[in-house]
Amino acid sequence: MAPTLGFVGLGIMGLPMATNLLDAGYDVVGHNRSDDPEATLRERGGTVADTPRDVAERAEVVFTCLPDTPAVETVVRGEDGLMAGFSEGDVYVDHSTINPVATEELAADLADAGVDMLDAPISGGEEGAIDATLSIMVGGDPAVFAACTEFFEATGETVTHCGPSGAGQTTKACNQIVVAAQMVGVSEALVFAQKAGANLDAVVDAISGGAAGCWTLDNRAPDMIRGDFDPGFFADYQYKDLRIATDAGETYAAPMPLTELAHELYKSMCANGMGRDDNSGVMQVIEMLAGDEARVEE
């Protein structure tokens, strides 16, 4: 008999993931701080709980997808948190992107209570969450990972076991380092092309097919040169993820000169009121520095 699944955090990523689990035939009980996503989940056939504790009491496997480390700590350890509702043998899967050290501590505390934890951060943006094509990077016990693979396959396309607890978060930090480098590099190239008088559509087409080809050119550059920065992944979250990466770099004495620069550009983006734009909107900071906008005329 299939277990009941819980999902806490029905935001831009969590809600489509929870609905994909419903579409795969699982019973899902959800909780969110605001009511609208809960109403949507209910419309799609899910049920709603009043608190994270209620979710844990009603589900055998609980997923979270939350903004940051403090939010995860509150949802798990709070007075009406998941830990208060878990039973021995339950499984907790965290899709949030948080500090790897905090993840390891949380996994150890849950293990003392007989609860297994997988850290399983995700990449692919809102489109990937909707289309169930996410990349899911998982840390934790291999046997628990194997038992949860069927759930990951309902929400993602590339599912990788990366090692023990915390390894999923380390892998996600690596992912965000590369994503930020792509976003900044493509932004610089497009603003340069604008300043030099090149045809921006032609530049994107030309370099996408060569060694510079990357996800950002294929999926974001056409919108970037049209000033469309509707969020698939908030710049606020990119900035937060880069703080996690640079903090980890300090912990492990790993040099991160490019990531430190990207971190400062995203900080500037958020400080200028652009934090709820897509992370590709970092091009706007480069444009501010250049005194020109890289835009095509429709």
Side-chain angles (χ1 to χ4, degrees), residues 162-212:
C162 302
S165 291
Q169 297 296 349
T170 297
T171 305
K172 178 61 185 290
C174 293
N175 182 84
Q176 295 305 81
I177 289 169
V178 175
V179 168
Q182 281 188 19
M183 294 293 181
V184 173
V186 169
S187 295
E188 285 190 9
L190 294 175
V191 173
F192 164 66
Q194 172 71 23
K195 298 286 282 188
N199 180 298
L200 295 180
D201 276 320
V203 169
V204 171
D205 288 343
I207 67 176
S208 295

Side-chain angles (χ1 to χ4, degrees), residues 41-296:
L41 185 72
R42 190 181 286 112
E43 290 168 3
R44 294 293 298 271
T47 57
V48 172
D50 291 334
T51 65
R53 176 177 183 165
D54 292 338
V55 173
E57 289 175 345
R58 295 161 61 180
E60 290 80 49
V61 181
V62 177
F63 301 83
T64 54
C65 192
L66 300 164
D68 52 30
T69 304
V72 171
E73 294 279 359
T74 298
V75 164
V76 176
R77 301 183 187 274
E79 182 178 352
D80 283 317
L82 295 173
M83 198 174 284
F86 278 137
S87 299
E88 186 173 352
D90 286 347
V91 175
Y92 170 50
V93 180
D94 183 26
H95 285 304
S96 316
T97 298
I98 67 171
N99 188 288
V101 176
T103 290
E104 292 171 14
E105 293 173 350
L106 193 56
D109 290 346
L110 287 167
D112 289 341
V115 177
D116 290 307
M117 177 178 174
L118 298 175
D119 53 292
I122 51 180
S123 180
E126 183 182 15
E127 304 101 311
I130 292 170
D131 297 335
T133 57
L134 292 168
S135 175
I136 306 176
M137 299 149 267
V138 188
D141 185 274
V144 180
F145 168 75
C148 291
T149 298
E150 63 181 281
F151 313 132
F152 296 139
E153 289 176 346
T155 57
E157 187 171 64
T158 303
V159 181
T160 308
H161 184 250
C162 302
S165 291
Q169 297 296 349
T170 297
T171 305
K172 178 61 185 290
C174 293
N175 182 84
Q176 295 305 81
I177 289 169
V178 175
V179 168
Q182 281 188 19
M183 294 293 181
V184 173
V186 169
S187 295
E188 285 190 9
L190 294 175
V191 173
F192 164 66
Q194 172 71 23
K195 298 286 282 188
N199 180 298
L200 295 180
D201 276 320
V203 169
V204 171
D205 288 343
I207 67 176
S208 295
C214 62
W215 187 93
T216 300
L217 280 171
D218 291 341
N219 294 279
R220 290 291 181 266
D223 291 333
M224 291 164 70
I225 58 178
R226 287 164 176 81
D228 181 0
F229 302 110
D230 287 344
F233 185 75
F234 291 129
D236 276 339
Y237 292 173
Q238 182 73 60
Y239 175 40
K240 179 265 296 183
D241 291 352
L242 291 176
R243 291 202 306 275
I244 290 171
T246 54
D247 286 349
E250 286 294 312
T251 299
Y252 297 111
M256 294 185 177
L258 181 58
T259 306
E260 291 283 0
L261 174 58
H263 172 271
E264 293 305 304
L265 292 171
Y266 278 99
K267 181 194 294 182
S268 297
M269 189 180 174
C270 296
N272 281 278
M274 305 172 191
R276 305 307 278 180
D277 286 353
D278 188 72
N279 57 344
S280 62
V282 71
M283 185 170 77
Q284 297 167 102
V285 178
I286 306 298
E287 291 172 336
M288 290 165 61
L289 294 171
D292 197 1
E293 291 186 339
R295 300 287 187 273
V296 297

